[in-house]
Amino acid sequence: MLLEGVFFHIGRFFIMLKRCFARPEKMSVYWREFVRNIEWMGIGSLLLVVVIAVFVGAVTTVQSAYQLVSSLIPVSVIGSIVSDSTLLELAPTITSVVLAGRIGSRLASELATMRVTEQIDALEVMGIHVEAFLIAPRIVAAVVVIPVLVVLAAIIGITGGMLIGHFTDIVPMHDFIQGAQETFRPMNVIICLTKAYVFSFIIGSVSSYVGFYTEGGALDVGRASTTAVVASSLIILVFDYVIAEVLLT
Amino acid sequence: MIEVKNLSHWFGDKQVLFDINVTFESGKTNLVIGSSGHGKTVLMKSMVGLIKPTKGEVYYDGRPFHSITEHERKLIRREIGMLFQGTALFDYMTVGENVRFPLDMLTDMSEKEKEERVAYVLERVHLPGIQHMYPSELSGGMRKRVGLARAIVHNPKYLFCDEPNSGLDPRTAAAIDELIYELTKEFGTTTVINTHDLNSIMAIGEKIVFIYKGHKWWEGNSSTILQADNKELQEFLESSIIIRQLKGR
Ligand SMILES: Nc1ncnc2c1ncn2[C@@H]1O[C@H](COP(=O)(O)OP(=O)(O)OP(=O)(O)O)[C@@H](O)[C@H]1O
Ligand SMILES: [Mg+2]
């Protein structure tokens, strides 16, 4: 039963994605839809991401210092821990899970509302490629906006950690930078970006899927938005592990 | 002309439409009447393909609608305008954007032509100059009329209205009926209207199909309906005091 349900959703999910590739009737209208989504996703999430990144960086610095009690270990190690863990895990994963809540829930509730108030039926009757028009611009917008926010979170997180370390006398700035440089590998950036793109695609597509196929009334709209957040967060964590396995081992 | 042939529909094991055969004529207001829950909306949605009927076919001027490819169906749909029971206006778009949406998507009109056309149809529904407003700022009756404007903006050959005047005051309701009637005459549209409004039945019932428990129970027009020898139909009509008085005379 459960397995059947999972296969049903996976099947329908990929059919939905395939339909997103229909040729646009009018590129200009699709573009307008894309820009509208870019705007609310980006502008609406910017402050949230900045605040979270500052705190995550700061906390990582303070906790790394707390764990390094031995005086044999140079404090510059803190710089390397903070920058590596921010790039590899904290910036992409925490940002994405938070944005699953912010962006995913709104995507799902918007589409679910359109479904239960027959707006999607109205598009269908007009003879429009509904998935291509409603879902493709939303997924593309998520894949454009979210990685930018992740990179921003990484930069701000590391900088925040460094400044907190410096001004609370945990680790002087040049030691922090030296530590960060010692263990830096281009691979870390590649992993950060891979995660950002994969996670943003998950947020955009899974949340759209949940919203698009909602049935019922206003209550179900609320339920869809919760389901979208839970589902995309869980799938993000699964892929977090998969990417770590594949790219790190 | 729209022909419905041998149309039956089941939801699960519950049959809601029973072998419906009916022809809706061009240049006429065709009414589908019947009590709540007897299958009017399901019939209309089967005609435009929002529900795939279990059995039967619908022909648009001789062209089959269900037994063709998705792409061919989309082409026929571009000749359809539909006013939904709940209006289905896009709530993130202004009235102007809503009404011009079919033009944006389906035509190559210039910006100026579109604006003129939108202004013209809004005038026809007696709502000039409200292009900048959002659907949420309108009353129920205004939303219905905007929905009608959107349905007719691209000059459809086939117009479907699901209860265009339910929930409206008698004067607005009559104005909407009159408008639909005028448009039908002006453009030779094949118009199908679901209603249980007795005023509409008497005013614009050029062809009337009475649906009873999913069956086509009676067919005629406004001048034959009061004399019809059909128990269920007379019971349906006699729910109105005015009709009772009219028949008493
Ligand atoms: N999606 C559905 N699933 C199951 N049953 C349905 C569904 N949609 C409609 N029905 C059933 O089909 C029957 C006909 O419903 P329909 O909506 O066509 O009525 P209606 O004549 O349009 O009524 P109203 O005047 O209230 O709009 C009802 O018994 C309804 O319960
Ligand atoms: Mg109905």
Side-chain angles (χ1 to χ4, degrees), chain B residues 40-41 85 162-163 194:
Chain B
K40 301 184 297 296
T41 298
Q85 198 163 347
D162 197 356
E163 310 211 2
N194 281 354

Side-chain angles (χ1 to χ4, degrees), chain A residues 49 52-54 56-57 60 82-99 146-158 188-189 191-193 195-197 199 203 236 240:
Chain A
V49 167
I52 288 172
V54 168
V56 167
T60 315
V82 171
S83 61
D84 284 1
S85 54
T86 301
L87 271 181
L88 286 175
E89 178 67 9
L90 299 174
T93 310
I94 292 189
T95 308
S96 297
V97 169
V98 167
L99 292 181
I146 295 174
V148 173
L149 293 173
V150 167
V151 169
L152 193 72
I155 294 169
I156 292 177
I158 294 170
N188 295 356
V189 175
I191 289 174
C192 178
L193 289 176
K195 286 184 175 181
Y197 280 104
F199 297 169
I203 294 173
I236 283 172
D240 192 23

Side-chain angles (χ1 to χ4, degrees), chain A:
Chain A
M1 257 329 253
L2 180 69
L3 209 61
E4 218 170 272
V6 170
F7 281 123
F8 169 77
H9 285 296
I10 292 176
R12 197 167 62 166
F13 176 79
F14 281 104
I15 291 171
M16 176 193 90
L17 285 187
K18 188 174 148 254
R19 293 214 179 125
C20 285
F21 286 100
R23 222 187 65 176
E25 292 83 4
K26 275 283 171 349
M27 207 51 216
S28 57
V29 188
Y30 280 62
W31 176 254
R32 203 163 66 200
E33 190 69 6
F34 169 71
V35 171
R36 191 180 68 80
N37 280 290
I38 288 268
E39 276 170 9
W40 72 258
M41 286 181 190
I43 296 168
S45 313
L46 195 59
L47 187 64
L48 183 66
V49 167
V50 169
V51 170
I52 288 172
V54 168
F55 279 98
V56 167
V59 170
T60 315
T61 299
V62 173
Q63 288 186 352
S64 310
Y66 167 77
Q67 284 174 303
L68 296 176
V69 279
S70 163
S71 54
L72 294 173
I73 302 169
V75 283
S76 67
V77 169
I78 294 171
S80 109
I81 293 175
V82 171
S83 61
D84 284 1
S85 54
T86 301
L87 271 181
L88 286 175
E89 178 67 9
L90 299 174
T93 310
I94 292 189
T95 308
S96 297
V97 169
V98 167
L99 292 181
R102 171 77 182 57
I103 292 176
S105 65
R106 169 148 170 200
L107 271 182
S109 61
E110 224 176 66
L111 290 172
T113 304
M114 292 189 78
R115 171 68 76 187
V116 304
T117 57
E118 297 184 314
Q119 295 174 48
I120 292 180
D121 286 348
L123 289 168
E124 190 97 36
V125 170
M126 287 175 199
I128 284 159
H129 300 294
V130 181
E131 290 89 348
F133 173 64
L134 285 180
I135 297 174
R138 285 172 165 78
I139 296 180
V140 177
V143 171
V144 169
V145 169
I146 295 174
V148 173
L149 293 173
V150 167
V151 169
L152 193 72
I155 294 169
I156 292 177
I158 294 170
T159 315
M162 177 178 77
L163 292 178
I164 287 287
H166 186 78
F167 289 112
T168 56
D169 295 327
I170 292 174
V171 42
M173 207 182 289
H174 70 267
D175 286 340
F176 187 101
I177 295 172
Q178 189 208 332
Q181 280 172 339
E182 263 168 21
T183 53
F184 177 81
R185 282 179 295 174
M187 191 60 185
N188 295 356
V189 175
I190 291 172
I191 289 174
C192 178
L193 289 176
T194 308
K195 286 184 175 181
Y197 280 104
V198 171
F199 297 169
S200 58
F201 179 77
I202 292 170
I203 294 173
S205 59
V206 171
S207 307
S208 297
Y209 172 81
V210 173
F212 190 77
Y213 288 105
T214 299
E215 280 171 20
L219 265 182
D220 303 277
V221 173
R223 208 168 295 146
S225 116
T226 316
T227 308
V229 175
V230 173
S232 39
S233 303
L234 283 178
I235 298 173
I236 283 172
L237 293 177
V238 170
F239 275 85
D240 192 23
Y241 171 74
V242 172
I243 292 169
E245 266 301 318
V246 172
L247 292 183
L248 291 180
T249 59

Side-chain angles (χ1 to χ4, degrees), chain B residues 35-42 44 85 162-163 194-196:
Chain B
S35 303
S36 196
H38 281 234
K40 301 184 297 296
T41 298
V42 175
M44 186 171 278
Q85 198 163 347
D162 197 356
E163 310 211 2
N194 281 354
T195 185
H196 32 57

